Amino acid sequence: GRPGASAPAPRKDPSVGAMPLIIVPAGYGSRVLFNMYNVAEFVANEKLVTWDSCHKEGQKKHSSLIFKRRYKRDRSVKYEVTDKAPHKGSQDWARVVAVFVSGKEWQFKDWPFRGAEEGDLVETFQKVRGFHTMYDTDKMDPIIATWNVETLRFQKNVRHGDRAQFEQFWNELDKFLDWRRSHLA
């Protein structure tokens, strides 16, 4: 190199120091267990409260929320949850750590990963940990069975098993982030 010439600055990882982001479906169908009405009850309080009961109680649906995760942490970690995916070119994609899938391929139509526009979600689920939630009485959607997602099965009429699904969610997400050597969470 030339004297006095400096090496190019290393590219900064946009995820360093950023708040991890979890995406939930925007929908309200009977197969959607979590959306913005009730996801906080699960990720922060370890229980499934149906979104329709939250809606009927008059709770507001926020476009995003921030909560502190304390489970398996020496100190709390802030997470953001939203039902709106970042814009395609946004650096916020580096913060997306998990998605709750609805079973509809169009949920991923504006995602920046190779194949997502056409419904090929192989790269998507290599970059973002996918979670499918269902009741133990429901049949697995055939399309979801082909995706690399972790299924969380809830008992339809019994809430004491919710904690096990909460632990499975965080354990699986931690394992995924460790595998990716992520700076998040």
Side-chain angles (χ1 to χ4, degrees):
R2 300 182 323 236
S6 60
R11 291 179 54 171
K12 185 177 183 284
D13 180 344
S15 71
V16 174
M19 187 183 315
L21 182 62
I22 298 170
I23 299 175
V24 297
Y28 304 103
S30 62
R31 304 260 235 163
V32 173
L33 264 57
F34 293 112
N35 60 25
M36 290 305 295
Y37 277 111
N38 68 338
V39 70
E41 285 295 325
F42 178 66
V43 295
N45 300 328
E46 307 175 16
K47 60 186 174 187
L48 168 62
V49 176
T50 63
W51 64 262
D52 55 334
S53 67
C54 294
H55 179 67
K56 287 174 187 166
E57 289 173 8
Q59 291 184 25
K60 286 193 188 294
K61 177 184 173 278
H62 301 280
S63 60
S64 75
L65 63 89
I66 294 172
F67 71 95
K68 289 183 178 178
R69 172 190 175 183
R70 291 182 182 88
Y71 176 71
K72 294 180 80 173
R73 292 289 174 259
D74 293 332
R75 62 181 208 276
S76 62
V77 177
K78 285 184 179 179
Y79 279 74
E80 180 180 1
V81 180
T82 185
D83 60 3
K84 292 174 180 38
H87 297 291
K88 217 172 198 171
S90 173
Q91 285 200 340
D92 280 339
W93 281 106
R95 300 190 307 124
V96 177
V97 295
V99 59
F100 284 89
V101 302
S102 66
K104 307 294 184 213
E105 291 172 327
W106 55 257
Q107 181 181 6
F108 304 98
K109 70 178 169 46
D110 293 322
W111 286 45
F113 308 113
R114 186 179 63 241
E117 291 276 343
E118 297 82 36
D120 176 357
L121 301 174
V122 172
E123 183 173 299
T124 298
F125 295 129
Q126 289 173 346
K127 306 274 186 186
V128 177
R129 188 60 177 132
F131 291 91
H132 169 58
T133 56
M134 62 185 285
Y135 287 119
D136 57 354
T137 56
D138 293 339
K139 284 190 165 50
M140 174 68 77
D141 185 318
I143 189 73
I144 293 174
T146 67
W147 295 349
N148 182 19
V149 298
E150 182 73 13
T151 298
L152 305 176
R153 284 185 171 80
F154 290 85
Q155 295 175 319
K156 181 137 184 153
N157 299 310
V158 181
R159 297 283 52 92
H160 71 260
D162 293 355
R163 167 108 184 152
Q165 301 311 309
F166 169 86
E167 290 176 359
Q168 182 181 353
F169 169 74
W170 287 116
N171 292 339
E172 190 62 33
L173 183 56
D174 287 344
K175 193 167 45 172
F176 179 74
L177 293 173
D178 287 347
W179 172 74
R180 283 189 45 213
R181 292 181 174 79
S182 176
H183 299 284
L184 294 165

